[in-house]
Amino acid sequence: MDKRVHELLNQQINKELYSAYLYLDFSNYFKRVGLDGFANWYMIQAQEERDHAMLFYQYLQNESQVVTLEAIAKPDKELNSHMDVLLAGLEHERYVTSLIHDIYSAAYDVRDFRTMQFLDWFVKEQGEEETNANDMITKMELFGSDPKSLYMLNQELAARVYTAPSLVL
């Protein structure tokens, strides 16, 4: 495997684990303010990000590449309102999308078709993640100022259940 592609894939493990930490922090915020449904939604997001990290980890191991684990940074977002959390989530998903695109581009440059195929799932997943983040913002803009509507939205988010990614390596 190309050295640069290997480095980017290895770094992505850390980035995905940071994403899990960030979403745990978001879940914490919503738990503190009494919105358990939102807390549930972000707890599941954290589980998904952890699983994404493990997919990168497993892919590198399957390719006989050394995995180097680094320290995971503490989340640093200032969370003063529900909208702060949602906007930070969208910003973060856009950032992760850029990281996936960078890895894909590096793999493309060296014609690493196996890695490109592996990343195809993540490209699609990031599109879904950005759509979900945008939808959350739209719903908060529409319903967030009305307590009854916010309650119903919170109930909707409480119904979300975790499903592991179905990517086969």
Side-chain angles (χ1 to χ4, degrees):
M1 180 179 285
D2 176 76
K3 181 181 178 189
R4 180 72 180 138
V5 171
H6 175 242
E7 288 172 359
L8 290 171
L9 288 166
N10 198 89
Q11 289 170 10
Q12 193 64 28
I13 295 168
N14 184 274
K15 302 294 186 183
E16 298 290 341
L17 291 171
Y18 172 80
S19 296
Y21 266 35
L22 182 65
Y23 289 139
L24 282 175
D25 198 35
F26 290 1
S27 181
N28 241 354
Y29 167 84
F30 282 116
K31 191 74 167 175
R32 279 194 317 270
V33 299
L35 291 171
D36 291 346
F38 282 85
N40 175 64
W41 200 87
Y42 279 109
M43 181 63 73
I44 290 171
Q45 283 298 108
Q47 290 173 302
E48 284 186 2
E49 301 302 341
R50 180 203 63 219
D51 283 353
H52 294 171
M54 295 309 297
L55 289 170
F56 282 98
Y57 178 87
Q58 184 181 0
Y59 179 73
L60 284 174
Q61 286 190 331
N62 288 350
E63 295 297 309
S64 301
Q65 299 298 308
V66 174
V67 174
T68 306
L69 301 176
E70 301 292 338
I72 302 166
K74 177 182 176 182
D76 61 351
K77 297 292 181 188
E78 184 80 23
L79 307 175
N80 297 313
S81 72
H82 308 338
M83 191 58 82
D84 283 350
V85 177
L86 302 180
L87 291 170
L90 177 58
E91 175 189 0
H92 185 72
E93 289 301 340
R94 288 178 174 160
Y95 169 66
V96 173
T97 297
S98 75
L99 296 172
I100 298 298
H101 289 175
D102 289 347
I103 303 168
Y104 201 102
S105 179
Y108 178 82
D109 288 345
V110 295
R111 303 300 187 255
D112 182 348
F113 300 112
R114 188 175 307 146
T115 297
M116 290 164 52
Q117 182 180 29
F118 168 70
L119 292 171
D120 283 342
W121 183 87
F122 288 95
V123 170
K124 181 177 181 265
E125 174 72 6
Q126 281 310 119
E128 292 171 6
E129 295 292 0
E130 286 187 34
T131 296
N132 289 339
N134 270 316
D135 288 350
M136 293 280 283
I137 291 167
T138 299
K139 288 177 181 180
M140 184 61 74
E141 288 171 342
L142 289 170
F143 308 121
S145 61
D146 175 53
K148 289 179 185 175
S149 296
L150 183 59
Y151 174 80
M152 289 177 66
L153 179 56
N154 188 62
Q155 292 303 107
E156 175 187 322
L157 297 175
R160 183 180 186 200
V161 295
Y162 176 71
T163 54
S166 60
L167 177 64
V168 179
L169 299 180

